[in-house]
């Protein structure tokens, strides 16, 4: 399938992917697939410009077109679409939050995930294999019971597993008496799981493009132009492009973009790494996380064991990692799953994380008329993608947040109404 179109001026409205088109194109040697999206030159101006063609920017453009009928939209991307954190994450999707604003917001995303492949006519490989948070002490299990109950009160699925039930579900962990991290039980969200991250970017891009949105790659925004205080457009590596409204969705670069409008955000940019082993036969059918070791681990569709851990704990815009963090993640993985010691590590990579002061995102207007942002995703913005795009589209279309993102606006820091799920305080790297 041809996914990266260099020049294709036409919109192909009826290019539905189906069993029939698969068969037809298979029989014709895969030569006749239409381009998945166009690569048009930028127009002089747009009603709305979204900066950043990650999952959030693309989802926003798609829902602007689909839900609000606004198609005079461009998504500007400095590199290639999906090349930021969207294509770098460990693909975990869940809505297992305790605080109400988080629970309701991430559950909207979960419901959208559940129909996303059909909605986009693109297989995002959403796999509801369950996300299990391990409890290593009875006290931790008690805290999980509290969170599980809060989830259920918000109509979100949650199940407490005792040690025996965890053993049955994930048999290949170290349950011996000498285990470095004893396992007391866990909190399971059965509807949680994984999705293929780059398919999410490609699916949204294709669906937004089919509705008339222009996606412009290799177009770096270098300035935000204002007149009389209000935004009028952006300076880019392809020249000035006018806009009535601008939505920033650039994850780890949020601070840089906001600075172009003379704003300083309560966000720090940190590095987060992930890594995969060589592929092996299916051996892990649940996503497992351990807060004590800060490890999250699952098996990809290719068979690789995919692992992530903590931030590097120093601020940086470099998208590459270092050995001490890799060592720490691998140590935790081998302690919990001894068989991993026999696998080779194949690849590691890093992404720049937009860590906010309370660990929750910022989705809403900024104090410059016409300027909006979607960022501050910390460790967990991939799972939010459909819900965040949906709410950000609403906010851009109506100039006000939807009730589901009303709690996530920037002014909460002024009002002191922070959403600190972890209770870690105002230290971004701890969220
Ligand atoms: C290693 C790692 C593991 C993670 N694991 C998970 C996980 O398991 N589950 C989960 O929910 N989340 C996870 N995340 C977080 C998640 O990946 C992000 O929160 C989410 O993908 C952010 O999406 P986005 O669209 O906002 O940003 P991005 O995908 O980063 O897109 C932003 C885009 O903006 C572009 N851009 C930046 N500056 C400019 C500019 N000046 N002009 C034009 N374009 C610009 C960038 O090139 C980029 O493509 C992880 C992140 C990392 C790095």
């Amino acid at each position: 399938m041809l996914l990266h179109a260099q020049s294709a001026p036409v919109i192909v409205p009826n290019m539905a992917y189906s069993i029939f088109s698969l068969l037809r194109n298979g029989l014709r040697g895969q030569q006749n697939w239409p381009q998945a999206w166009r690569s048009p030159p930028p127009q002089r101006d747009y009603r709305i410009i979204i900066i950043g063609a990650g999952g959030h920017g693309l989802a926003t453009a798609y829902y602007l077109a689909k839900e609000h009928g606004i198609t005079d939209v461009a998504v500007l991307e400095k590199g290639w679409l999906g090349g930021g954190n969207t294509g770098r994450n460990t693909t975990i999707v869940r809505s297992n939050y305790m605080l109400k604003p988080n629970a309701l917001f991430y559950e909207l995303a979960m419901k959208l995930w559940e129909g996303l492949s059909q909605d986009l006519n693109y297989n995002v490989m959403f796999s509801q294999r369950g996300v299990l948070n391990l409890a290593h002490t009875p006290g931790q299990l008690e805290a999980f019971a509290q969170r599980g109950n809060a989830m259920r009160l918000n109509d979100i699925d949650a199940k407490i597993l005792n040690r025996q039930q965890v053993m049955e579900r994930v048999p290949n962990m170290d349950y011996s008496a000498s285990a470095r991290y004893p396992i007391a039980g866990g909190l399971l969200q059965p509807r949680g799981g994984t999705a293929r991250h780059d398919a999410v970017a490609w699916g949204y891009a294709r669906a937004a493009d089919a509705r008339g949105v222009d996606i412009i790659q290799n177009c770096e925004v270098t300035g935000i132009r204002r007149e009389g205080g209000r935004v009028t457009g952006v300076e880019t590596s392809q020249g000035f492009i006018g806009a009535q409204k601008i939505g920033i969705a650039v994850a780890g670069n949020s601070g840089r973009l906001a600075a172009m409008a003379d704003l300083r955000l309560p966000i720090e940019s940190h590095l987060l790494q992930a890594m995969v082993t060589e592929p092996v036969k299916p051996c892990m059918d649940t996503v497992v996380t351990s807060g004590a070791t800060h490890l999250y681990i699952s098996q990809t569709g290719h068979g690789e064991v995919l692992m992530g851990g903590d931030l590097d704990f120093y601020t940086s815009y470099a998208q590459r990692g270092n050995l001490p963090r890799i060592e720490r993640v691998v140590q935790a993985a081998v302690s919990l799953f001894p068989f991993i010691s026999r696998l080779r590590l194949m690849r590691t990579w890093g992404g720049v994380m937009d860590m906010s002061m309370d660990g929750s995102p910022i989705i809403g207007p900024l104090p410059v008329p016409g300027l909006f942002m979607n960022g501050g995703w910390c460790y967990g913005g991939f799972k939010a993608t459909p819900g965040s795009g949906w709410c950000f589209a609403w906010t851009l279309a109506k100039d006000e947040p939807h009730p589901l993102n009303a709690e996530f606006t920037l002014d909460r820091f002024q009002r002191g109404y922070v959403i600190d799920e972890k209770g870690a305080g105002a230290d971004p790297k701890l969220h």
Side-chain angles (χ1 to χ4, degrees), residues 52 54-56 77-78 85-86 89-90 92 221 251 379-383:
H56 290 248
E77 167 56 49
K78 72 173 174 183
N85 290 348
T86 296
N89 60 65
T90 44
I92 301 169
V221 172
Y379 285 86
F382 176 64
K383 63 183 178 297

Side-chain angles (χ1 to χ4, degrees), residues 300-320:
T300 70
H302 299 134
E304 302 150 333
V305 177
L306 170 61
M307 301 172 271
D310 267 324
L311 298 172
D312 275 5
F313 290 145
Y314 55 84
T315 52
S316 169
Y317 284 112
Q319 282 186 325
R320 60 174 181 274

Side-chain angles (χ1 to χ4, degrees), residues 51-58 76-94 219-222 249-253 257 260 272-274 296 308 319 349-354 374-375 377-385:
I51 309 171
H56 290 248
L58 293 164
L76 309 184
E77 167 56 49
K78 72 173 174 183
W80 66 97
L81 69 84
N85 290 348
T86 296
R88 294 166 187 267
N89 60 65
T90 44
T91 78
I92 301 169
V93 173
R94 57 186 174 84
C219 183
E220 178 168 8
V221 172
T222 53
V250 295
N253 285 283
L257 265 294
M260 293 177 195
L272 181 65
Q273 300 183 60
Y296 31 100
Q319 282 186 325
W349 61 90
V352 184
M353 312 299 293
D354 37 337
N374 164 326
W377 290 104
C378 302
Y379 285 86
F382 176 64
K383 63 183 178 297
T385 306

